[in-house]
Amino acid sequence: MTYEEHIDSLIEHTQRCITAYTYFVEYHWSLRVCAKNMQVSHTMVKNYLEELSSIDDDMYQSYQCELKRRNKKKAGWTN
């Protein structure tokens, strides 16, 4: 892999992470809906979202807040 190919690969990966963030946090889609639209597994979407920690801390913190909000909402429905 050449240096340029490596850079292109990193850019593509970063774009996928940002797309996952947009769908999950801004559009409020579930992991499965995000996965369907990105044509990957829901586990891969979760991995993309977790990798935001090394890309953009603000986006990662927003993702964590959204995840906590959803978990609280989900816990409220089961009680």
Side-chain angles (χ1 to χ4, degrees), residues 3-24:
Y3 181 72
E4 289 81 14
E5 291 171 336
H6 180 67
I7 296 298
D8 288 342
S9 174
L10 288 173
I11 290 170
E12 182 181 334
H13 181 75
T14 301
Q15 288 173 334
R16 286 187 162 272
C17 292
I18 293 170
T19 299
Y21 169 84
T22 301
Y23 289 165
F24 188 79

Side-chain angles (χ1 to χ4, degrees), residues 58-72:
D58 289 337
M59 291 175 86
Y60 180 72
Q61 294 303 321
S62 295
Y63 156 66
Q64 288 295 316
C65 288
E66 178 69 11
L67 190 60
K68 286 178 186 175
R69 184 190 67 78
R70 290 183 188 202
N71 287 338
K72 284 181 183 177

Side-chain angles (χ1 to χ4, degrees), residues 20-41:
Y21 169 84
T22 301
Y23 289 165
F24 188 79
V25 176
E26 295 180 7
Y27 294 176
H28 305 288
W29 290 356
S30 69
L31 287 176
R32 293 195 188 275
V33 173
C34 296
K36 182 178 178 184
N37 282 280
M38 294 178 71
Q39 299 178 345
V40 297
S41 69

Side-chain angles (χ1 to χ4, degrees), residues 45-60:
V45 173
K46 185 166 176 52
N47 291 341
Y48 287 143
L49 291 167
E50 289 296 328
E51 290 171 14
L52 285 169
S53 64
S54 62
I55 296 171
D56 186 315
D57 191 53
D58 289 337
M59 291 175 86
Y60 180 72

